[in-house]
Amino acid sequence: MYRKILITTDGSAVSSMTACAGVKFAQQMGAEVLALFVAPEYQYPIYVEIIPPSYPSEEEYRAAMQRAGREHVQPILDACEKKGLACHGITAFAESAAQKIVDVANEHGCDLIFIGSHGRSGWGQLLLGSVTNKVLSHSKIPVLVHRLLKEPLPD
């Protein structure tokens, strides 16, 4: 049904559990995986006339984020390799992680976005400003939300 699945990660424990579930799902579908880490764009210090010497240059920042991105997608690549799945990892830069996820999925011909949710509800969901909710509202391709529940569902 799905040939190429985009699995997102931010390096957190929650996204690692989501990525693990995403790889299992891709294996069931016999799909290729595209692992994506979205880093924020470089920000110059605000209200500072002279950039402090300890502040990283844009090149240093981008190199550090590329390294972090490789570290975050590597577990997905390793899991795919163990399961015999084709997989590719990308680090992208954007102000809006949600829009970048949607754009990368479209650019790379993905037919599903596999993304996690913390399973918050009520005020927690409103305050979250959820990347997942934004992906859901912007994506024209299917989005599978892997929800992590802290407590079991009631009977």
Side-chain angles (χ1 to χ4, degrees):
M1 182 173 189
Y2 298 110
R3 297 177 332 273
K4 192 170 190 179
I5 299 173
L6 175 71
I7 300 175
T8 62
T9 184
D10 63 9
S12 68
V14 169
S15 73
S16 294
M17 291 188 295
T18 295
C20 181
V23 170
K24 287 178 186 175
F25 183 78
Q27 182 184 28
Q28 292 171 350
M29 296 289 117
E32 177 182 349
V33 171
L34 177 63
L36 174 65
F37 170 74
V38 179
E41 291 284 1
Y42 180 77
Q43 297 292 316
Y44 288 94
I46 300 174
Y47 305 116
V48 176
E49 292 182 23
I50 299 172
I51 296 176
S54 62
Y55 200 81
S57 69
E58 186 170 356
E59 294 78 24
E60 291 168 333
Y61 171 80
R62 290 183 75 79
M65 289 295 100
Q66 287 286 354
R67 281 190 305 277
R70 281 191 300 276
E71 288 174 14
H72 294 326
V73 302
Q74 193 61 51
I76 300 171
L77 300 176
D78 294 343
C80 286
E81 184 179 343
K82 286 179 186 174
K83 296 193 181 299
L85 299 174
C87 186
H88 180 67
I90 296 176
T91 297
F93 292 84
E95 289 298 321
S96 168
Q99 188 60 55
K100 189 54 138 180
I101 290 166
V102 171
D103 292 345
V104 167
N106 290 327
E107 290 165 11
H108 290 269
C110 296
D111 43 20
L112 178 73
I113 298 171
F114 195 100
I115 193 166
S117 172
H118 293 271
R120 293 186 179 105
S121 61
W123 285 109
Q125 185 178 23
L126 290 174
L127 297 173
L128 181 62
S130 174
V131 170
T132 300
N133 285 335
K134 291 174 186 171
V135 169
L136 283 166
S137 65
H138 289 92
S139 180
K140 290 184 171 51
I141 65 170
V143 178
L144 194 155
V145 178
H146 180 257
R147 187 169 178 205
L148 297 173
L149 300 173
K150 292 185 179 181
E151 359 180 298
L153 292 173
D155 293 332

